[in-house]
Amino acid sequence: MDLRHKSFALFFGLLMVLTLSKFSEGQSLCSVNDQFILFKENNTLNAVVTTLTTEADVSVSITNEKPPGLFELNGLDLIAITVLDYETFNTPYEVDIECTKDGSSPAKLNLRIILENINDNPPVFDESEYAINVAELLKVDTSVARITATDADEGDQLYYRLDAPEGEFDLEASFNPNILVKKRLDYEKVKQITMTLFVQDTPISSTETVSHTSSTTIKVNIVDVDNRPPWFQPCTTIENDNSIMCINTGYTGTVNSTGLATGPLPLEPGPILAIDGDAGINEAIGYKFLADNPTFEINSDTGSITMVKPVNQEGPIVLSVMAYQKQNTDQYATNTVTFTVRMTTNHPPKFLDPSYEGFISEDAGVNSLVMESKTSNKPLRVQATDDDFVNGVNPNIAFEVIDGSDFYITLEGFILLAKEIPFGTLNLQMRVVDKTNGESDTASLTIEVTPGDQQLRFGGYKAEDMAALGGSLAVVIILCLVGIGLLAYRVKSHNSNWKKISEVSVFRSNLGGGSGGPKEGVQYVNESFRHDDDTESVKSGLAADLEKKLESGVRSAEEQKISTASVPQKTSNIRAASDSSSLASADIEKEVKPILTKERRAEDGYKAVWFKQDIDPNTKEDVVIIPDTGEPVDHDDDDDDDDDEDDEGNLKTDKEPARRYSKDSDSENEERLTSDL
């Protein structure tokens, strides 16, 4: 039971005590169940408040009513003839009723009608829309307003809820509508926030059905504060964390080296202009130089720069300018103005010819050159001279087409097509400009655009001609590559033959002790070297020539032996084989080694020669070379007759057994082989 009902019960008890005696007086003729009657507000018309109980033949009537005109008697029923409202009259209603009967004293009833309050009224805000001003950059949880509603139902507790679009604000509690800042507010980002405040007479988190609710609109106007300096214009805004900066790269201009310019100097991207960074305040801005300058001055209100006297120095000239708030000079910004000093000349650049004519094909591509004639392969070139230079060449000039975008001119004066155009004749104007001082000259340019294929391109040849030439060159290159590949293959295939020829040459050199030829009276035969699988290659010219030279050396030695008759000459044979079909200049893959070795080797490039016995190099005896059969030599054959032939058909010496190198002693064999050679 809430406070309202407790108060009502106390009041009702006191009222019963005070009127108890009066009520008892009329109980003999008429009565009611309860003198204090509870009746709910917002009743219907003619609703029965209470019913009287009387004896027979008793008449009843209302003698007094406070306030009057609210109740009537309908027989023994007391009815309400109007709708009663607790909020309009919340004290008990009084109704006095008199009961009369013939022969009896009249009886009186004093009734008290108490209205029972019900929750029949919604909460109400004083305004349907509220407007509040909130300064930007306030701290979070700062209170900015408190808006409440009222409820006609006495004793009702109200509960609130705030709907902010981005959560910028919230309430301190649902039962306390104190509005707090919940996010950092920036005037440059948002200038006004519209919110809705709701109220109801049941708790927000309750599952109970909400009986009555109401709402109002709150418009929050963000107020700009003076927290930003002036911003030079134009500028690029950059956001860094929670701050915004406006970057301007400075201003540039040009002044003549002689003469005094009148009026404000033109600047790029001028003129100088600065605005208050806080647009909501928009305070007036002033300007000044950070350092005194005797040549220039600046208007403190407009920022315009004018010349006081001619420039007497070379450029560039850099001026530092400060923009400041006139009411708050602590807010300021600085920037630079750079002037290029333009040297004054006596002569402007001038075209060599007052007019030029060129030709270009309709089907010429973008960036194609304009030619001097329809059939020429020489591009049209415009030139200009400047008498201020000894050779007439000004390196600071540039060419441009005036009011035209179909062509453009390079620094060298060549005219190129900028976009595709139909055939016809174009009459244009050109200009040559000295970039240091702006002096210029003009000339006319007539370009005839010929129909497709009328003008030869690429130096007098059509595109299809150049394509055919490129195809022919490609075929020639492919044939050359094929020839080179075949030649490389042939060289590689004859590489082994060439190595064998080289081996024979080294072998001959070792036998002859140098270039003098083989030793006299000594002949060498190696059947194993001869009988390789490449015997057909002996037909080559180099192998034949080598064999003739070896035989010539042998014959010379035999003739010398016959003339001296000092030692009987035995018949000896020499056989050499070499495989080579042609001379090749390929590099030898392995280092060439002497053919004669004291041991057998399996590698490519070596041949083994075995001797039956040691030979004295000072004696002119025949040497028998035993073929390399891979079989061990039988030492018992040393005692065979000297004149007998061995198994291979070679003759042995008739004076002493053939001596050979032993396979058991490598050091001994090495000494013998070295001595023989």
Side-chain angles (χ1 to χ4, degrees):
M1 181 180 295
D2 56 17
L3 180 62
R4 179 184 59 186
H5 291 89
K6 290 180 179 179
S7 300
F8 173 76
L10 179 61
F11 174 78
F12 183 72
L14 292 174
L15 186 61
M16 291 180 64
V17 172
L18 292 175
T19 60
L20 184 58
S21 59
K22 294 183 179 181
F23 176 74
S24 60
E25 293 179 356
Q27 285 184 347
S28 58
L29 294 180
C30 59
S31 64
V32 293
N33 293 333
D34 197 343
Q35 184 180 4
F36 292 91
I37 304 167
L38 290 177
F39 187 70
K40 290 185 178 181
E41 64 174 334
N42 301 328
N43 58 282
T44 60
L45 292 177
N46 300 321
V48 177
V49 178
T50 186
T51 300
L52 302 178
T53 301
T54 64
E55 296 179 357
D57 300 327
V58 176
S59 298
V60 294
S61 63
I62 297 176
T63 59
N64 186 34
E65 183 180 354
K66 291 182 181 179
L70 301 179
F71 303 94
E72 288 183 355
L73 285 172
N74 184 14
L76 297 179
D77 292 332
L78 180 66
I79 62 174
I81 60 175
T82 187
V83 177
L84 304 178
D85 184 21
Y86 178 85
E87 286 73 27
T88 302
F89 191 83
N90 56 9
T91 59
Y93 296 93
E94 293 185 15
V95 178
D96 293 335
I97 298 176
E98 184 179 47
C99 300
T100 61
K101 183 179 179 181
D102 295 339
S104 299
S105 298
K108 293 183 178 180
L109 296 176
N110 185 257
L111 303 180
R112 299 291 186 265
I113 302 171
I114 302 171
L115 289 181
E116 184 179 353
N117 189 20
I118 63 175
N119 187 12
D120 60 339
N121 294 290
V124 178
F125 288 101
D126 293 339
E127 303 289 340
S128 61
E129 182 177 300
Y130 293 85
I132 59 176
N133 296 326
V134 177
E136 65 172 341
L137 309 179
L138 288 179
K139 293 182 179 180
V140 175
D141 290 335
T142 300
S143 176
V144 296
R146 189 176 190 274
I147 299 174
T148 61
T150 59
D151 192 339
D153 295 322
E154 185 179 338
D156 280 357
Q157 175 67 51
L158 301 181
Y159 301 90
Y160 300 86
R161 177 174 60 87
L162 182 64
D163 183 12
E166 300 294 335
E168 300 91 344
F169 299 91
D170 202 356
L171 299 177
E172 184 174 354
S174 63
F175 53 84
N176 183 8
N178 191 21
I179 301 175
L180 306 179
V181 176
K182 288 300 179 181
K183 285 187 177 181
R184 185 178 184 273
L185 305 175
D186 190 346
Y187 177 83
E188 276 66 33
K189 292 182 179 180
V190 58
K191 295 177 174 56
Q192 188 180 74
I193 300 173
T194 301
M195 306 182 299
T196 303
L197 180 62
F198 297 93
V199 62
Q200 63 188 48
D201 52 13
T202 54
I204 299 295
S205 59
S206 174
T207 58
E208 182 181 350
T209 302
V210 178
S211 55
H212 299 285
T213 183
S214 183
S215 65
T216 187
T217 300
I218 302 175
K219 288 188 176 181
V220 181
N221 299 312
I222 308 301
V223 180
D224 197 4
V225 298
D226 192 5
N227 67 309
R228 290 194 176 95
W231 287 351
F232 283 97
Q233 301 297 304
C235 66
T236 302
T237 56
I238 299 176
E239 185 172 356
N240 182 18
D241 294 333
N242 292 325
S243 62
I244 298 178
M245 297 177 291
C246 197
I247 306 301
N248 179 283
T249 57
Y251 303 89
T252 59
T254 303
V255 294
N256 292 325
S257 59
T258 60
L260 182 65
T262 60
L265 297 175
L267 299 175
E268 290 293 336
I272 295 178
L273 175 65
I275 62 174
D276 190 348
D278 299 306
I281 299 176
N282 197 23
E283 189 173 333
I285 305 298
Y287 305 89
K288 69 177 182 178
F289 289 136
L290 290 180
D292 293 336
N293 189 287
T295 305
F296 303 93
E297 68 177 11
I298 187 170
N299 188 297
S300 61
D301 295 326
T302 65
S304 298
I305 298 177
T306 56
M307 293 185 66
V308 178
K309 65 178 184 178
V311 176
N312 58 358
Q313 67 184 83
E314 295 182 354
I317 301 174
V318 180
L319 306 177
S320 296
V321 178
M322 181 176 73
Y324 57 91
Q325 294 182 7
K326 291 186 176 182
Q327 298 298 324
N328 182 12
T329 56
D330 291 336
Q331 296 286 14
Y332 65 89
T334 61
N335 209 335
T336 59
V337 180
T338 304
F339 286 106
T340 300
V341 179
R342 181 170 53 195
M343 303 303 296
T344 304
T345 61
N346 297 322
H347 304 280
K350 187 175 182 180
F351 280 103
L352 293 181
D353 297 314
S355 62
Y356 293 85
E357 183 179 12
F359 301 85
I360 192 169
S361 174
E362 178 188 13
D363 58 0
V366 175
N367 297 327
S368 296
L369 291 168
V370 174
M371 300 298 175
E372 288 186 347
S373 65
K374 294 181 180 180
T375 59
S376 173
N377 59 358
K378 183 178 180 181
L380 176 64
R381 183 180 185 184
V382 297
Q383 293 179 296
T385 183
D386 193 333
D387 293 338
D388 289 323
F389 295 82
V390 176
N391 58 0
V393 179
N394 185 348
N396 299 313
I397 62 173
F399 300 95
E400 60 183 13
V401 178
I402 303 175
D403 298 332
S405 59
D406 297 332
F407 297 89
Y408 66 94
I409 308 176
T410 66
L411 293 176
E412 296 78 13
F414 296 105
I415 305 173
L416 281 75
L417 182 66
K419 62 182 181 180
E420 295 182 358
I421 55 175
F423 71 92
T425 302
L426 299 177
N427 296 315
L428 306 172
Q429 287 290 319
M430 298 181 299
R431 178 168 56 197
V432 57
V433 181
D434 188 335
K435 294 182 291 185
T436 61
N437 54 29
E439 296 177 341
S440 63
D441 185 31
T442 60
S444 63
L445 173 64
T446 301
I447 297 178
E448 181 180 347
V449 181
T450 62
D453 296 332
Q454 292 296 315
Q455 179 184 357
L456 297 179
R457 299 159 58 196
F458 305 107
Y461 294 95
K462 296 182 179 179
E464 51 267 27
D465 297 334
M466 299 299 292
L469 178 60
S472 301
L473 292 176
V475 173
V476 172
I477 292 174
I478 292 174
L479 292 176
C480 291
L481 293 176
V482 172
I484 293 173
L486 293 175
L487 181 59
Y489 175 76
R490 290 178 62 87
V491 170
K492 184 175 181 181
S493 63
H494 293 296
N495 192 31
S496 60
N497 295 335
W498 173 250
K499 289 193 293 182
K500 291 184 178 181
I501 293 174
S502 300
E503 291 176 359
V504 172
S505 178
V506 174
F507 176 62
R508 177 181 177 277
S509 176
N510 289 336
L511 293 179
S515 61
K519 294 181 179 181
E520 296 180 357
V522 180
Q523 298 184 11
Y524 301 87
V525 176
N526 192 344
E527 295 294 339
S528 295
F529 180 75
R530 174 186 179 95
H531 294 293
D532 282 346
D533 293 336
D534 51 3
T535 56
E536 295 299 327
S537 63
V538 298
K539 297 179 181 180
S540 66
L542 181 60
D545 182 64
L546 180 60
E547 187 174 3
K548 289 179 181 179
K549 290 182 179 181
L550 292 175
E551 291 177 354
S552 176
V554 173
R555 284 196 301 270
S556 176
E558 289 177 352
E559 292 174 358
Q560 183 177 4
K561 290 178 183 179
I562 295 172
S563 62
T564 57
S566 59
V567 179
Q569 182 66 36
K570 293 287 185 176
T571 302
S572 63
N573 298 318
I574 182 170
R575 299 172 183 175
S578 174
D579 293 337
S580 175
S581 62
S582 62
L583 293 177
S585 60
D587 295 336
I588 300 176
E589 297 180 359
K590 294 185 179 180
E591 181 183 3
V592 178
K593 301 290 184 179
I595 295 176
L596 294 180
T597 63
K598 66 185 182 68
E599 59 182 352
R600 297 172 183 261
R601 295 190 181 179
E603 301 110 289
D604 185 19
Y606 290 93
K607 297 294 181 179
V609 179
W610 294 81
F611 297 93
K612 287 188 176 182
Q613 60 183 357
D614 295 340
I615 300 175
D616 186 359
N618 296 323
T619 62
K620 300 184 179 295
E621 296 179 350
D622 293 339
V623 177
V624 178
I625 299 177
I626 301 174
D628 182 10
T629 61
E631 298 177 357
V633 179
D634 187 3
H635 293 277
D636 295 337
D637 294 340
D638 293 346
D639 296 334
D640 293 345
D641 293 340
D642 296 339
D643 295 336
D644 296 338
E645 293 183 356
D646 60 10
D647 295 338
E648 297 296 330
N650 294 322
L651 294 177
K652 301 179 181 179
T653 177
D654 57 355
K655 295 208 173 184
E656 62 183 53
R659 302 171 63 187
R660 66 186 130 193
Y661 289 102
S662 173
K663 295 194 292 183
D664 299 331
S665 176
D666 290 341
S667 61
E668 182 179 355
N669 291 340
E670 182 176 3
E671 293 175 357
R672 292 173 181 173
L673 179 59
T674 304
S675 174
D676 290 343
L677 295 177

